[in-house]
Structures are given as structure tokens and as C-alpha cells.
Amino acid sequence: MMSKSYTNLLDLASGNFPAMGPSREKKRLPRVMTVPGVISELDDDQANSVSSDVPSSVAQDRVIIVANQLPVKAKRRPDNKGWSFSWDEDSLLLQLKDGLPEDMEVIYVGSLKVDVDLSEQDDVSQLLLDRFKCVPAFLPPDILTKFYHGFCKQHLWPLFHYMLPFSATHGGRFDRSLWEAYVSANKIFSQRVIEVINPEDDYVWIHDYHLMVLPTFLRRRFTRLRMGFFLHSPFPSSEIYRTLPVREEILKALLNADLIGFHTFDYARHFLSCCSRMLGLEYQSKRGYIGLEYYGRTVGIKIMPVGIHMGQIESVLRLADKDWRVQELKQQFEGKTVLLGVDDMDIFKGVDLKLLAMEHLLKQHPKWQGRAVLVQIANPARGRGKDLEEIQAEIHATCKRINETFGRPGYEPVVFIDKPVTLSERAAYYTIAECVVVTAVRDGMNLTPYEYIVCRQGVSGSESSSESSAPKKSMLVVSEFIGCSPSLSGAIRVNPWNIEATAEAMHEAIQMNEAEKQLRHEKHYRYVSTHDVAYWARSFFQDMERTCKDHFKRRCWGIGLSFGFRVVALDPNFRKLSIDAIVSAYLRSKSRAILFDYDGTVMPQTSINKAPSQAVISIINTLCNDARNTVFVVSGRGRDCLGKWFSPCKKLGIAAEHGYFMRWSADEEWQNCGQSVDFGWIQIAEPVMKLYTESTDGSYIEIKESALVWHHRDADPGFGSSQAKELLDHLESVLANEPAAVKSGQFIVEVKPQGVSKGVVAEKIFTTMAESGRHADFVLCIGDDRSDEDMFEIIGNATSSGVLSSNASVFACTVGQKPSKAKYYLDDAAEVVTMLEALAEASAPPSFEVGASDSP
């Protein structure tokens, strides 16, 4: 069913969007490369294979980094005439350059944190491009509000942090106009990328949840573009994510990237589960790399937590150590044990839970009253809304209550700093803190513990000799729900919702013996110092290079409308079967072999009534009545079923149960083509299958004459797939010494006699024809699934082995555009029937002929 996620999908597919605010034609930035031609049709092969003949003006590879905001700071000049810009040294986008090849040019595309008047935008764009290699995306105010504060902050951010919109007042209802603004904003970003991109040489690296549909816009324009995406927030479990009304649109858009990165395996596992449950895609792990096969493309999945910029922290430490602030803090908290929290002010950082844990600590362990201090730094909120206001009010009320209850002259148990704090001052607090506490209930990564560890290590030569030689130690209490938690094996991990356990963890941290603190610190510092932001960027980029290395060797084209758009990447020799070409070869030939599968080939998989229609019977009869034709249906179905359905086709050959039973016409007896008549393995396999059927709701066993098939199409996708793998291993183990083969297929696990396959059927048909002096000079073989690949493989070898005529026209054809050993494809069962009908018309007597009039 076509998605209704957009007001008018045809508008979206053609790049037209509803007007959402005033706009005017703006001067375009000079392009690095001009791609000739206008791409107007999604299904136009040439239009979508953008490979310009214009020589590249760039000698080496470049990377275009796209994010919601550029890594630059902007402020008005004192005379209010124009803007001054500088790099934002705290930006991850700027820091990751350290991990890229030294000779690689980096271009940034993103928005500015300030509003630039329409009349100034062209000049600002040129200035940023010339001086900073930055390309600003200016969003109209109405789109910006709906895009960022609307869809991003009201829908995606809460949902990705496990907050469901239960009511209009709690989380809010889905607003389609916000989704439309999100799409429009992503399109504006894509236009800015297109203005500077050289699609044959450039890499594109997209960052975070603000731009999750951007890959579709870019892939629609450049089918072979090398493109990666990294999500810096959590990705929720499928039970949470599937509540999003535009869930499939976003998944399909992300799959247009070549590499998708996540901080932790949990986030990647949730994404893969969503792809499996909603799109039917299964991932494979090969030599340590995880990949999703998607229409012939392998979409890589990268798991790599980001790190901090060691150089920046160490340079700040050198300043902070000399700064009076460190000494002032030491004096302020002399005789006290400082626990530190540094968090953004939002509803998921668990600051309120941390305060409650501190309160419980002071109640349960009175000896720390007057000695333990929690310093909580709250960075300014980036979002807004009623939920945030409520949490802020609760935090202030809790701070006041704790200080009133346990405070005394000269002692304030909670020091709450609700204002922006520079990295230099933050480093000073890290330096004097005995323990850092992070109690976020959900957070993508959170680098606070990393910064703390480096600050506690200090920088050699910056401290006094006595302090420099002193053992380094640090302690961490971290929530198990944050991205950095798996990397910090020496931290005390807590469930922040459990106030009592968090309080005890804080108590354990501050009273732990010094030697233990040192060991934990050393372990953490080794990891943090080696897995910095440069290591993360280098690793991601290397994987992107590896994933994209075959891009220009494959034949690619785009199909689908709106966010159903995807790129099919196939072997250059793989092409659609031309009916005119096959009819021409058919008319020239004198001895023909026509083999076709049934389910999914001439009968759609979705059909309820699986019996062939009268039209199909008529076509097959016409083909069979041509004396030059040998026609076979080769199916996994049983012989009784096929014999009954095709009883009107007296001259049709049937190979049932993948060729275990075979007959050349209705007048002949069924032949048993199996190598063995020992079916003792059934007594072993059936009880095992029954065991899995009982424990897997929705599964069932199909009993054939020569095979047993376990179906799990109607089972839970994840559990069914897991059980199928277990069953496959189990059966292979118990049947190791039996004359049976265990195979897995699409939602099935099958046990059948050894030496039975559709490939053996094809070989037998060709050999029999050759022995009778009728070497086939025309071969048509059509199928849709894995079992049919055996036929395609045999056909590929048959010509060289002399079984077929030396000048045979061979058409191995699969159904659907997917990787296959066949060289041709047709889109669906309807096209297969149309093609067979064209051959039948070519075979029909002249009085009934519709097509060509010449016969060989």
C-alpha cells in the first residue's frame, strides 16, 4: 500500500513541497562541478545514473559533513553592519577532522545559530564558503520552528528517549504539518549539498536525527554517491519506534545511506530489529562487519562510541591549572568531599533523581552530613515545553528542601549552578571532584565521564612536583542507560530510577579505598585516551570507504516514489528481459526448453487462490502444443496438487517437490528421481520439528511425500527467525549421518533427500533432449527464490559442457530486481505471464497469431 505520510506523494517525488513561508529566488553558490541534464523521472535509468562526463576539478577525495548546525560561531559586528564568524572549538564536527586523512578537504553544510536577514544571506554564504568552507542552509522561520522545535524536539527527541505521546498534554499528538516541515527542511539541506558536491569524488557524512530523511533526497539525485549517517541519540526498541506514524519512511530513508553508525550495540540492535519487523530485512555478520542486504546494496552498520578531543581538554587543563578558579574551589570546599554532576537541563538527564539519591545518602549515612557536597552544573535547556518547566520546578524545590534540611552555616549540601559554564571552569570542577555522578534515564552518549577522567589525570608539567607525582584516581557512578556506560567497565553502574541503590553507589564511590580508585582510574584513562574523537572519526570513515568501494562497479538505478525510493544495485550484466528480444530468439530456434517455477513466478505469492487461472492454462497448452517445445513446471509443491491443477495440460512436464518426482507428460508415470529410498530420517526430523512448532506460535509443519517443511511466516519475525536458525543447527546435528539435506529458505526450514534440487531437474531435461538428438538451442528458465538459483547455475555451465547447442540462446530470468545467478529479471508474476503469452502467440497457428507472422 502506498504511504500516506505526505500530502501529495507525487509532489514529494518530483521535489515540490507545499509552500510553508515566503521564499525568493536566491543566488546559487558556485558549484565545484556541474552535472549536466535535468533529472525528472525516478524510473529513468539514465537520469538516475549520474556519472558526468565533465572532468572533476578536485584531485583528491573530499568529505562533505552535513549537520543541523555549522561548527561556527556568529555575532553581529559592533557597528551592526554585517557579521563576524569564528570556529566553534567545542563542536564535534570540527574536532572529527583530526581523524580524517590530512590531505582530505572538508566542507560543512548546516544552519547557523543566528537569524540572518534575507538581504544578507548571499553575502554571508559567500563569506562562509570562502573563509571556512562552510555552506549555510537558511531555513524560513516558520519551517525552522516546526522542523526543530516541532518535529525534532516534540516527536523524535522524546520518542528516541523512550517517551510515548500518551495524551495531548503528555508528549503531544502526532502533527503531520510538523512532519512536512521536517521533510521540507531536509530538502533545503539537500539543495545546499547538491550545490557543492562532486558526486563521483566526494563522500557525504550526515549527522544525527535532524536529517534522517536527507539520504533519500541525495540518493535520488546521485545513485552512486558515497554516503554515511551517524545517529548521536539513542535508537529506541521496535516496540517504541513502531508507534511513530512515519516509521517506515524514516527507516527507508536511512537505508539509502551506505553506512549507518550508532554509539552502542543496543541502539544498532534496535534499528536492525525495526528493519526486520517492519521491512522484512535480515542482517548478516561477516568477518566482524554487520550488513543489511537492501535491493542489491549492502548497507553497513557501524557500532562505535564517540570520544573526546584529547588535545582540547589538555590545552584547557594547562590554562585551568594556572587559573585562580582551581585554588578558589579548593578553598571553598576544603575539608569536603565533592560529588559532581554536569548535565544539560532536560527531562531525560535524571537531575531530579540524582538529587533524591543525594538526599537519601545524607539520611542513611549521617556521617557525611557536613562533609559531602553535590555540585550540580545545569547547562541551559535546548528544548522547551511544559514537561521541562515542571522538571525545573521540581529540581529547584528539591535543592531548597535538601539545603534547608541538612544545611548549616558554612555547609551547603547541594550547590546548584544554573548558568552556562565554560570548559575551563568545568575542568576546574572536574579537577577537585572525588566522584562524578551521571543519572540520565536515557542518553545517546554523554561525554562528561570522559572529560572528568582526563581532567583527573591532569597534564604532565602543569602541576607542582608533589601533585604531579601523586597517584591519579577518579570514581564514576553512571546510569546503565547512557551510551558511554558499556565502555566504562570500572564505573559503578546504576539504575537511576532506584533511588536507594543510586545513593548506596554514591556512598560506595566516595568511601572506596585509594588503591581501588587508582586501578579503576588507570583502566578508564587507557580507554578514553586511545578512543578519542579522532579514533572514532577515522574508524567510521575507513568503514565508509570499505562499504562504498564497489559503487562504480555496480549498475544502479532508482525506483519508487516518495520515501519508498531506493536504489537497486546489481551486476552490470544483469538487465530486464526484453520481450521483443526473447520472441525473436524463440522464432529462430528449433529445439526449445522452457522451465518455470510456479509460486511467485506465474502465481503471485500474495494470491489466496493458488490454482492457475484459465488464461495461464491456455498459454501453457499453446506452448506445449508446439512440437519444438519441451515445457516443464518445476516446483516445490507436491505431485498430487500439481497434477490436479495442470490436468488440462496433457503435454506439460511436471517436476514436483523440487524434482524428487518427475513426469514428462500426463500420459506417463511419475518417476522417482531421488538417489535414496531410505526415509528413516523422517522419524528423526519430525519430532524435532514438532518440538519447535509447539514452542513457536504461528509456525507449522508441512509434510510432503519426500520432504518435511517447517514454516514460520506467521510467527513473530524476530523469534521465528531465531527459532529457524536453532532448528537448522539442531537438524543438521541429528541428521549428520543420514541421507538427507537440511536447507533454509524464505520463512522455511526444509529437510529433503540428498541429491534433490531443481538444478538436477534442469540437467536431466537437457541431457535427455541431447540424447534424443534434440540439443536445445533456446532455453528459458524462470524462478523467484533461492531454490531456483540451482537451475540458473546449471544453465550457466550447460553450454560449455556440450549439453546444449553451441549457439543456444539462453534466458535465465529471476522474478524481482535482486541479486541472482540469472542474467535477466522481470518485475513480477504478471510480467512473467505477459512474456509467456507473447511466446505462446509466436507459437500459435497463423489464424490466431497476434505477434510476429514469420515462423522458422
Side-chain angles (χ1 to χ4, degrees), residues 827-841:
D827 285 326
D828 51 34
E831 286 197 355
V832 173
V833 173
T834 301
M835 184 270 298
L836 291 175
E837 185 177 20
L839 298 184
E841 289 172 351

Side-chain angles (χ1 to χ4, degrees), residues 476-658:
L476 290 167
V477 175
V478 300
S479 165
E480 61 191 54
F481 301 119
I482 64 176
C484 67
S485 175
S487 306
L488 300 171
S489 55
I492 302 176
R493 298 190 183 101
V494 296
N495 171 7
W497 302 101
N498 189 334
I499 304 298
E500 295 80 7
T502 303
E504 287 306 312
M506 292 162 66
H507 179 247
E508 180 186 352
I510 56 179
Q511 70 163 13
M512 187 175 288
N513 67 70
E514 299 299 299
E516 181 74 10
K517 289 181 181 179
Q518 290 170 28
L519 287 173
R520 291 177 184 242
H521 171 79
E522 289 170 5
K523 185 176 185 179
H524 287 158
Y525 183 74
R526 279 197 303 272
Y527 176 84
V528 172
S529 60
T530 54
H531 292 72
D532 60 355
V533 66
Y535 177 89
W536 168 78
R538 187 182 310 114
S539 179
F540 186 90
F541 190 77
Q542 287 172 350
D543 271 22
M544 186 156 61
E545 284 184 311
R546 177 187 55 80
T547 305
C548 301
K549 69 181 186 325
D550 292 331
H551 267 30
F552 295 98
K553 299 177 184 177
R554 312 296 298 276
R555 183 165 173 261
C556 303
W557 67 95
I559 59 173
L561 295 174
S562 182
F563 291 109
F565 176 84
R566 64 271 187 200
V567 166
V568 178
L570 298 165
D571 187 277
N573 296 322
F574 188 72
R575 55 191 182 275
K576 188 163 185 175
L577 182 60
S578 164
I579 292 181
D580 289 342
I582 194 171
V583 168
S584 175
Y586 182 85
L587 290 170
R588 291 194 305 269
S589 58
K590 296 179 180 179
S591 179
R592 309 167 185 138
I594 300 174
L595 288 65
F596 59 88
D597 177 37
Y598 184 68
D599 290 284
T601 302
V602 294
M603 176 57 61
Q605 292 281 14
T606 54
S607 294
I608 302 298
N609 181 8
K610 295 294 186 179
S613 65
Q614 189 56 47
V616 169
I617 293 292
S618 175
I619 291 169
I620 292 173
N621 264 331
T622 304
L623 291 171
C624 292
N625 288 335
D626 189 325
R628 291 165 290 189
N629 294 348
T630 298
V631 186
F632 263 83
V633 57
V634 186
S635 172
R637 285 189 175 271
R639 58 178 172 173
D640 292 340
C641 177
L642 293 172
K644 177 182 176 182
W645 283 349
F646 291 102
S647 58
C649 305
K650 302 300 183 184
K651 297 181 180 179
L652 174 67
I654 299 177
E657 298 191 18
H658 299 300

